[in-house]
């Protein structure tokens, strides 16, 4: 039986056949055959092939045999197409085009919306590069590369991106969305007054769709402050909760919302872990009973940018809702956004904060210090104290009359052991408690 037949490229009339009893050769295009007495044992030959100037025989039981034939012509050079490796608009506002030249080319053109933007001369070796493209208007761009070699054109697959001109970097930003700011871009969010709410805010669709990745990006780069680098906003996040005990990043942590930052527009880092309706008991209850958002469900979120980025860095900030393909939820709404800057009093018009609140400390767990934020809808005599689990008070952080407003205090754990502690806030007849974890 013949298992493999090979024609010699340098002499088409010469054929080699791998059989169950050894190698046979024909020098007259198969008219006659003879046993190839070239030292190869009389063993079954399952496969024959050519690599460079060698013929390779795969045998049954005696491994791989090779023979060098100098007359074999060199194999043709395989030319690979170029690749657009990435598109990203960074805080400088410029679109960075990542380009991989994966073979030597005579020249390569980079086309943006079918117009030649730049031409790269001959490259002798493979090379990767980044090309800057200026963004002058809000537009969808298609980018592709056309490489030329020996008269043949090798096109890359096209990639698209939505871009918009960025404003100059700022030290801070604040809006209550009442003036419908045009400072954001993305998909799935819009600034509007939802039924049951009294003023505009940034809403996802309600309910949001399955299998979506919605983004809401601030198109003003922020210079990270050396002092209080915090993001504050009011929110309602009624999205599908993960399985009990699941944490962000687990495969059974289903839908989530997250706030992210980027210093290059390519790599987006979480400013805090993603979270779902379990982040607040009232949100979880609303999800479980099929209830939508209402103003009474607003909670304040405080995020320390210094946990992710250093002072002096210029970053972009975005809000993102991810939903898998199965269960949907009401969605996310964001209001009264403050990034390293407070809303002016005349802009607030007495509407902030909306309710009494003690936010979860951040970071948590922590080693030496943590920040505790709280909000007062009315002036009150306020006490904020920390207790251990035995009920012993270990620190008093606030004990004074305070006006209505939002506040932050820092608790330093000098001299305290690792373990769980409780922060208890009292304001008149109102009281709230959070649990904190110290890790030494």
């Amino acid at each position: 039986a013949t298992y493999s037949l090979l024609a010699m490229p340098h002499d088409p009339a010469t054929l080699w056949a791998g059989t169950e009893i050894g190698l046979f050769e024909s020098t007259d295009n198969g008219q006659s055959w003879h046993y190839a007495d070239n030292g190869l044992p009389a063993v079954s030959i399952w496969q024959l092939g050519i690599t460079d100037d060698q013929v390779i025989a795969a045998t049954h039981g005696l491994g791989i045999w090779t023979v060098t034939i100098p007359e074999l012509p060199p194999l043709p050079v395989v030319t690979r197409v170029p690749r657009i490796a990435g598109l990203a608009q960074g805080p400088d506002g410029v679109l960075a085009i990542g380009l991989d030249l994966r073979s030597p080319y005579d020249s390569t053109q980079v086309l943006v919306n079918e117009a030649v933007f730049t031409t790269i001369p001959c490259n002798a070796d493979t090379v990767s590069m980044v090309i800057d493209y200026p963004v002058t208007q809000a537009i969808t761009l298609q980018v592709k590369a056309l490489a030329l070699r020996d008269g043949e054109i090798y096109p890359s697959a096209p990639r698209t991106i939505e871009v918009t001109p960025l404003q100059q970097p700022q030290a801070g930003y604040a809006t209550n969305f009442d003036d419908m700011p045009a400072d954001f871009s993305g998909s799935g969010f819009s600034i509007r007054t939802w039924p049951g709410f009294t003023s505009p805010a940034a809403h996802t669709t309600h309910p949001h769709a399955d299998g979506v990745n919605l983004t809401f990006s601030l198109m003003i780069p922020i210079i990270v402050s050396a002092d209080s680098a915090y993001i504050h906003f009011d929110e309602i996040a009624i999205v599908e909760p993960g399985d009990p005990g699941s944490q962000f990043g687990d495969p059974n942590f289903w839908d989530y919302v997250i706030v992210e930052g980027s210093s290059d527009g390519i790599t987006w880092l979480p400013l805090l872990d993603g979270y779902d309706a379990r982040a607040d008991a009232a949100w979880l209850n609303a999800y479980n009973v099929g209830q939508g958002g209402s103003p009474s469900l607003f909670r304040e979120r405080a995020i320390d940018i210094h946990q992710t980025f250093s002072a002096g860095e210029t970053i972009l900030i975005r809000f993102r809702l991810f939903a898998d393909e199965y269960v949907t939820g009401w969605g996310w709404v964001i209001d009264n956004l403050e990034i390293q800057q407070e809303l002016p009093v005349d802009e607030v018009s007495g509407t902030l904060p909306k309710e009494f609140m003690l936010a979860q400390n951040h970071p948590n767990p922590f080693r030496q210090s943590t920040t505790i934020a709280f909000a007062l809808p009315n002036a009150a005599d306020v006490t904020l104290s920390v207790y251990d689990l035995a009920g012993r008070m270990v620190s008093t952080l606030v004990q004074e009359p305070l006006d209505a407003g939002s506040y932050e205090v820092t608790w330093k754990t000098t001299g305290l052991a690792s373990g769980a502690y409780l922060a208890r806030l009292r304001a008149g007849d109102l009281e709230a408690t959070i649990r904190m974890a110290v890790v030494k």
Side-chain angles (χ1 to χ4, degrees):
T2 299
Y3 299 125
S4 180
L5 185 65
L6 180 68
M8 292 295 138
H10 67 292
D11 184 2
T14 299
L15 304 175
W16 281 14
T19 75
E20 63 182 1
I21 59 173
L23 180 67
F24 283 78
E25 181 183 44
S26 171
T27 58
D28 55 8
N29 201 26
Q31 297 297 315
S32 61
W33 292 88
H34 59 270
Y35 183 72
D37 186 13
N38 55 5
L40 184 64
V43 63
S44 296
I45 298 174
W46 298 108
Q47 189 170 358
L48 294 170
I50 295 175
T51 299
D52 297 328
D53 61 350
Q54 290 187 327
V55 177
I56 301 174
T59 71
H60 176 76
L62 290 180
I64 302 297
W65 288 69
T66 64
V67 60
T68 299
I69 302 177
E71 295 83 8
L72 286 175
L75 293 176
V77 176
V78 177
T79 300
R80 305 175 69 189
V81 298
R83 178 175 61 189
I84 304 299
L87 299 174
Q89 188 178 10
D92 58 1
V94 173
L95 174 63
I97 302 173
L99 176 62
D100 289 343
L101 303 182
R102 304 194 297 166
S103 288
Y105 308 119
D106 298 331
S107 65
T108 303
Q109 292 181 332
V110 177
L111 279 67
V112 179
N113 285 357
E114 300 300 331
V116 177
F117 171 64
T118 189
T119 299
I120 301 164
C122 176
N123 61 293
D125 298 305
T126 60
V127 63
S128 297
M129 63 183 67
V130 175
I131 300 168
D132 289 340
Y133 181 86
V135 174
T136 59
Q137 60 180 319
I139 192 173
T140 299
L141 298 178
Q142 182 193 79
V143 181
K144 64 182 179 181
L146 298 179
L148 182 67
R149 177 169 179 168
D150 297 331
E152 295 288 335
I153 296 177
Y154 298 89
S156 74
R159 295 187 63 169
T160 60
I161 185 174
E162 293 184 4
V163 296
T164 189
L166 300 184
Q167 299 183 35
Q168 289 297 313
Q170 297 182 12
Y173 179 83
T175 180
N176 62 6
F177 298 103
D178 286 357
D179 58 352
M180 310 293 285
D183 301 327
F184 297 85
S185 70
S187 60
F189 283 80
S190 63
I191 300 172
R192 64 194 189 279
T193 302
W194 188 254
F197 292 76
T198 59
S199 61
H203 291 261
T204 63
T205 53
H206 300 312
H208 66 77
D210 292 331
V212 294
N213 193 28
L214 310 180
T215 60
F216 188 60
S217 301
L218 176 63
M219 304 312 292
I220 301 175
I222 299 297
I223 304 170
V224 180
S225 169
D227 300 319
S228 180
Y230 276 88
I231 301 174
H232 294 270
F233 55 91
D234 297 330
E235 65 172 337
I236 305 170
I238 304 176
V239 297
E240 179 193 8
D243 287 350
S246 63
Q247 298 181 347
F248 179 65
D250 292 344
N252 56 346
F253 192 98
W254 309 120
D255 300 354
Y256 61 85
V257 298
I258 192 168
V259 184
E260 299 169 313
S262 176
S263 60
D264 58 10
I266 300 172
T267 302
W268 289 88
L269 302 176
L271 299 179
L272 78 169
D273 285 347
Y275 49 97
D276 54 32
R278 291 175 296 171
D280 184 86
W283 296 349
L284 183 58
N285 179 69
Y287 177 85
N288 289 334
V289 301
Q291 175 187 336
S294 64
S296 65
L297 295 177
F298 269 114
R299 302 291 183 266
E300 184 181 6
R301 176 73 58 181
I303 301 173
D304 185 1
I305 302 175
H306 283 163
Q307 297 296 317
T308 310
F309 294 98
S310 300
E313 288 190 86
T314 300
I315 64 172
L316 294 173
I317 294 171
R318 74 180 182 186
F319 302 81
R320 182 166 65 90
L321 183 152
F322 170 82
D324 61 26
E325 299 177 353
Y326 302 102
V327 180
T328 189
W330 180 79
W332 198 14
V333 56
I334 300 161
D335 200 2
N336 302 316
L337 174 63
E338 301 174 335
I339 303 175
Q340 300 183 159
Q341 179 177 309
E342 294 183 1
L343 283 164
V345 173
D346 61 344
E347 202 176 330
V348 176
S349 301
T351 63
L352 284 177
K354 295 179 176 64
E355 61 181 32
F356 173 74
M357 184 202 65
L358 174 61
Q360 184 64 52
N361 64 302
H362 186 80
N364 189 51
F366 62 99
R367 293 182 181 275
Q368 297 178 341
S369 66
T370 189
T371 298
I372 304 171
F374 61 93
L376 306 174
N378 302 294
D381 291 329
V382 176
T383 300
L384 177 61
S385 301
V386 179
Y387 298 83
D388 62 20
L389 294 187
R392 295 184 294 264
M393 186 175 67
V394 299
S395 181
T396 297
L397 304 178
V398 177
Q399 191 169 23
E400 60 180 316
L402 293 177
D403 293 331
S406 299
Y407 298 87
E408 289 181 353
V409 295
T410 299
W411 179 41
K412 296 183 178 180
T413 61
T414 305
L416 293 178
S418 299
Y421 294 84
L422 301 176
R424 183 170 298 154
L425 175 69
R426 291 186 178 92
D429 296 331
L430 301 174
E431 182 175 314
T433 302
I434 59 172
R435 187 184 180 100
M436 306 178 292
V438 176
V439 180
K440 295 291 187 177

